[in-house]
Amino acid sequence: MSIASVTSTTGVNGATTSSKAGQGWGGMGAEDFVKLLTTQLQNQDPTDPVDNTQMLAQLAQFSSLSNLNDIKESVSGTAEQSETLSTIATKLDTLNSTVAQLLAQQSSSTSTPA
């Protein structure tokens, strides 16, 4: 499920949410989750409270999602580093070829009597 936009609204007890337009679920952080959780607890029906197992399941899912995002960022950073190293290796190969050509030219010009 994706959220296209969330606008600023005032809920029960004057709770205000912030605008996260266009960010979807990926724009939410731990602070946003805690705000949602406390607002949910404040506004729940006292005659029908939220089941504790559901709360724990939500916390576990959020924790798993957070860990997956950290892994994704780590892998993404590794891929960028790999690409950079590949570019450096290519440039070093080119430099080595150029130096080898210059050395070959220099030794051929010094070995030929003038």
Side-chain angles (χ1 to χ4, degrees), residues 6 9 24 36 41 45-47 50 54 58 64 66 72 82 85 90 95 101 111 114:
V6 177
T9 59
L36 285 171
L41 289 172
D45 182 4
T47 61
V50 177
Q54 289 178 350
Q58 289 175 4
S64 295
S66 178
K72 177 185 148 199
S82 176
L85 288 174
T90 303
L95 181 61
Q101 289 174 354
S111 63

Side-chain angles (χ1 to χ4, degrees), residues 91-109:
K91 291 184 184 220
L92 284 174
D93 286 342
T94 304
L95 181 61
N96 284 336
S97 297
T98 304
V99 169
Q101 289 174 354
L102 290 173
L103 288 174
Q105 288 174 356
Q106 184 180 16
S107 43
S108 68
S109 66

Side-chain angles (χ1 to χ4, degrees), residues 48-101:
D48 185 25
V50 177
D51 184 19
N52 287 336
T53 56
Q54 289 178 350
M55 286 285 208
L56 290 174
Q58 289 175 4
L59 287 170
Q61 288 173 348
F62 184 76
S63 177
S64 295
L65 179 63
S66 178
N67 289 337
L68 286 173
N69 280 334
D70 291 344
I71 291 170
K72 177 185 148 199
E73 288 175 11
S74 176
V75 168
S76 179
T78 303
E80 290 174 8
Q81 290 174 353
S82 176
E83 186 176 317
T84 301
L85 288 174
S86 176
T87 302
I88 290 171
T90 303
K91 291 184 184 220
L92 284 174
D93 286 342
T94 304
L95 181 61
N96 284 336
S97 297
T98 304
V99 169
Q101 289 174 354

Side-chain angles (χ1 to χ4, degrees), residues 27-44:
M28 292 185 69
E31 189 175 308
D32 296 318
F33 180 77
V34 171
K35 285 180 186 177
L36 285 171
L37 182 64
T38 55
T39 303
Q40 180 179 359
L41 289 172
Q42 289 173 349
N43 297 314
Q44 69 179 333

